Structures are given as C-alpha cells and as structure tokens.
Amino acid sequence: MTTKPLPLTPELHAYLVAHGSPPDEIIRDLAEETLAALPDEAMMQVAPEQAAFLTFLTRLLGVRRAVEVGTFTGLSSLAIARGLPEGGRLTCFDISEEYTGIARRYWERAGVADRIELRIGPAGETLRELPLERHLDFAFIDADKTGYPVYWDELVPRMRPGAVIAVDNTLRGGRVLAPQNADDRAIAAFNDEVLADVRVEAVMLPIADGVTLARVH
C-alpha cells in the first residue's frame, strides 16, 4: 500500500496554521494568559489548529449536545461552544477550580457561557451522572491519560448513532511506538482498545499530538 508521510517541520507547521481560519483576539489572549499564568502547564492547552478544527467539526456535525472531559483553561471548550447552534449545550468535566476559573472568564467574554455547564470532580464519577440513554452528539477527551479507558467506557454507550468522539494526544509525540512512561503506555494500550472496539469506526489524524476520531455505530 502506498504511503505519503509528511515531514511536518516547524516552517511547514507555521504555514499550515497560517492557512487555516486565524485565531481571533479572544483565543490569542487566552493562549497568552495561559502561558503567562501557568508556564509549566501551558502545553496542556490544545494547539491553535486544533481549536479551529474543533469549531469546524462541531458545526459540520450539527452538534447540539456535547461533552468535554478535561477543560483546563478553556480553549477547547470555547472552540466547541462556538460551533454549537442556538440551544446547543456543552457539559465540561474537570477537577480544577483554578484552571477553569480562567476558562469561565473567557467563556463570558466570548458570549458562550450560557451554552456551557461546568462540573467539578473526578470525571470517572461525574460522567456517571449523565443520562444513560444515547443522547450525545459529540465528545472530546483530553484529560489524564490513564483515565482515558474509563471516560471512553462511560461515553460510548451515551453517544447517539452517528455521534463522534474526539480523543487528544493519541500519538504522544511519537512515543506510542516506544512508550517511555505510564502515560505513554496508557495511550498505546488505549489506542489498541479503540481499534478493537466493534461499537465504533475510528481514524487517527496527525493533528498536533494526534487526534483520534471515532464514529459510534
């Protein structure tokens, strides 16, 4: 089978970002504040091209009910909420009042706070508070890597037929090929689990640190 590997150099990455929908002032300010306030954790924020992709995908799918696991300072949730139609709802799950306090300010500034509900607590427990029926259109998982299988198992039965789950960091900087720590090993095992899950069809995209999209049957 013919392959077309792409050497994504820093220069090519900059070109890629520059030729997509550009981040507006709110996204730029959020990224800058996150880096200034949380320099050691700022890498947990989604990349700018991911934010644009999440808004685009949410609109493309016609999402009305969405869930996010792992909100941090709110860039991904802001992107998803912007893609929702009037009456759409996003429920966010996180454990940090500090990080999500930044998120709340930017949701308000962007005019999407009324679309977002934030639930604080371990997502493995709080996800179980969601209705058991298949009602969700979209989910985004970007939290602690060892928790991915738990979040997956809670979300898949709640996704309507045709719904999509997006999972971040599924390439781990390429270390899925030779895991170096517990998070790498957890993601490598999770990727195998998704591949074997007959409830979904999945594709892995080389966006940022790897994004897996899974369409639920």
Side-chain angles (χ1 to χ4, degrees), residues 62-67 84 87-90 135-139 159:
V63 173
R64 297 192 62 84
R65 295 291 179 268
V67 161
L84 296 174
R89 297 289 297 172
L90 168 63
H135 66 290
L136 297 174
D137 302 309
F138 181 71
M159 309 302 295

Side-chain angles (χ1 to χ4, degrees), residues 92-108:
C92 295
F93 296 85
D94 204 279
I95 59 172
S96 174
E97 293 278 8
E98 177 190 3
Y99 298 159
T100 57
I102 298 174
R104 288 182 187 274
R105 287 194 283 106
Y106 281 89
W107 296 340
E108 289 285 351

Side-chain angles (χ1 to χ4, degrees), residues 65-68 80 136-141 155 159 164-167:
R65 295 291 179 268
V67 161
E68 175 183 75
I80 294 168
L136 297 174
D137 302 309
F138 181 71
F140 181 55
I141 301 175
L155 286 168
M159 309 302 295
V164 170
I165 302 176
V167 188

Side-chain angles (χ1 to χ4, degrees), residues 134-137 156 158-164 215-217:
R134 303 182 69 178
H135 66 290
L136 297 174
D137 302 309
V156 172
R158 293 174 165 87
M159 309 302 295
R160 64 165 180 78
V164 170
R215 182 178 181 275
V216 181
H217 297 309

Side-chain angles (χ1 to χ4, degrees), residues 116-164:
I116 302 174
E117 177 190 358
L118 175 62
R119 300 189 187 185
I120 298 293
E125 300 173 11
T126 51
L127 280 169
R128 298 188 185 108
E129 299 171 1
L130 293 172
L132 288 174
E133 64 263 21
R134 303 182 69 178
H135 66 290
L136 297 174
D137 302 309
F138 181 71
F140 181 55
I141 301 175
D142 184 18
D144 58 298
K145 308 314 167 193
T146 56
Y148 275 23
V150 175
Y151 310 143
W152 179 265
D153 287 342
E154 291 297 331
L155 286 168
V156 172
R158 293 174 165 87
M159 309 302 295
R160 64 165 180 78
V164 170

Side-chain angles (χ1 to χ4, degrees), residues 174-197:
R175 295 188 303 278
V176 286
L177 297 178
Q180 299 175 17
N181 55 42
D183 284 349
D184 295 346
R185 290 188 289 273
I187 291 298
F190 173 76
N191 290 341
D192 290 341
E193 178 184 333
V194 172
L195 182 64
D197 195 329

